Amino acid sequence: MDIPRIFNVSESAHRIHNPFTPEKLATLGTALRLESETRVLDLGSGSGEMLCTWARDYQINGTGIDLSPLFTEQAKLRAEELGVTDRVEFIHGDAAGYVAGEKVGVAACLGATWIGGGVAGTIELLKQSLHTGGIILIGEPYWLRLPSTEDVAKGCLAGSISDFLLLPELLASFGTLGYDVVEMVLANQDGWDRYEAAKWLTMRRWLDANPDDDFAKEVRDQLTSEPERYAAYTREYLGWGVFALIAR
């Protein structure tokens, strides 16, 4: 059970597997007014930076589920580094369909809404783990401006233009699902650059260390094409943010 290998290679040096910076994660925690001992569930928890830093800074208790054995192990090491192993637990597993055994105050899925077949399905999944009145966090891309063609959308690694919404439409869609948007924190250009460009050095270092690996051609192809693709498409068209929701 694992994610595609290219992500384990290209994002192996990442602590945050989305366009948020550490500062943005801290801003989100502050914005949510997290209380000590709040239970947080994170589906698709990656290398655990959100839960680990929030456990350190806000004394939350958290559980993270991720499909990558590598990222799950990195999350456990991060918990040890920050001295929060008594507050957070990381489980290697499929977050799709995961429901917490004990209700939580915050249920999150940041950048992995595929686990529920999209935003609406992921919200339905998260609410099964949530206390009445608790907060759902959804991390999701949105169009900064609509692509002019489907080819442009595919250049942003979307399947089609309809995969994402403009920000006002995304916010309105949460209301249609029966939720108030009570906070949002949006990634900025620097966050996108740090997320994407950091992959390139990681891939180059991996290629230098593994020239004869059967996977080297795929990594080489990614390294060759990604800087130009990112600059032409994702950087120009895609935003990303975390949206805090409470059921009406």
Side-chain angles (χ1 to χ4, degrees):
M1 186 184 297
D2 203 348
I3 61 176
R5 190 180 179 191
I6 189 62
F7 297 108
N8 279 322
V9 171
S10 65
E11 298 190 27
S12 59
H14 282 52
R15 281 186 174 165
I16 302 171
H17 301 275
N18 60 56
F20 262 15
T21 60
E23 292 77 18
K24 289 287 185 178
L25 270 186
T27 296
L28 179 61
T30 300
L32 296 175
R33 308 170 198 173
L34 292 170
E35 297 180 359
S36 176
E37 308 304 325
T38 298
R39 296 195 60 80
V40 180
L41 174 67
D42 188 7
L43 299 186
S45 50
S47 296
E49 191 71 2
M50 183 177 80
L51 291 182
C52 288
T53 55
W54 286 5
R56 177 196 64 193
D57 297 338
Y58 308 108
Q59 292 75 56
I60 61 95
N61 298 306
T63 300
I65 318 295
D66 200 87
L67 199 58
S68 168
L70 172 64
F71 297 164
T72 303
E73 183 60 28
Q74 289 177 339
K76 293 175 180 178
L77 293 173
R78 185 63 167 153
E80 291 178 7
E81 179 183 358
L82 297 185
V84 294
T85 54
D86 59 329
R87 288 192 170 274
V88 294
E89 175 188 19
F90 294 100
I91 300 169
H92 170 233
D94 189 352
Y98 183 90
V99 177
E102 181 180 348
K103 296 291 187 182
V104 302
V106 178
C109 179
L110 307 190
T113 55
W114 52 266
I115 67 172
V119 170
T122 301
I123 289 173
E124 281 296 308
L125 173 60
L126 291 170
K127 80 174 187 180
Q128 295 179 56
S129 298
L130 198 67
H131 281 302
T132 301
I135 292 176
I136 286 176
L137 296 180
I138 293 289
E140 184 71 2
Y142 58 88
W143 294 122
L144 296 171
R145 54 192 173 102
L146 281 178
S148 55
T149 67
E150 293 291 346
D151 284 343
V152 172
K154 290 175 181 176
C156 299
L157 305 183
S160 69
I161 295 173
S162 63
D163 280 5
F164 306 128
L165 301 171
L166 293 166
L167 182 58
E169 295 169 350
L170 179 58
L171 294 171
S173 74
F174 295 131
T176 301
L177 294 171
Y179 288 83
D180 288 322
V181 181
V182 297
E183 258 294 358
M184 71 176 186
V185 178
L186 305 181
N188 58 23
Q189 195 91 84
D190 183 61
W192 269 113
D193 290 347
R194 291 301 83 238
Y195 173 54
E196 294 290 347
K199 299 176 188 178
W200 309 337
L201 180 58
T202 301
M203 286 191 286
R204 178 52 195 264
R205 293 284 188 252
W206 187 92
L207 284 168
D208 289 345
N210 300 276
D212 300 321
D213 194 288
D214 291 343
F215 196 58
K217 183 181 185 305
E218 183 169 338
V219 177
R220 163 46 61 193
D221 290 346
Q222 284 267 5
L223 178 56
T224 299
S225 63
E226 274 298 286
E228 182 178 354
R229 185 207 62 77
Y230 167 64
Y233 296 106
T234 300
R235 199 173 194 271
E236 295 301 312
Y237 287 91
L238 268 188
W240 195 88
V242 178
F243 306 91
L245 315 175
I246 297 179
R248 291 174 176 168

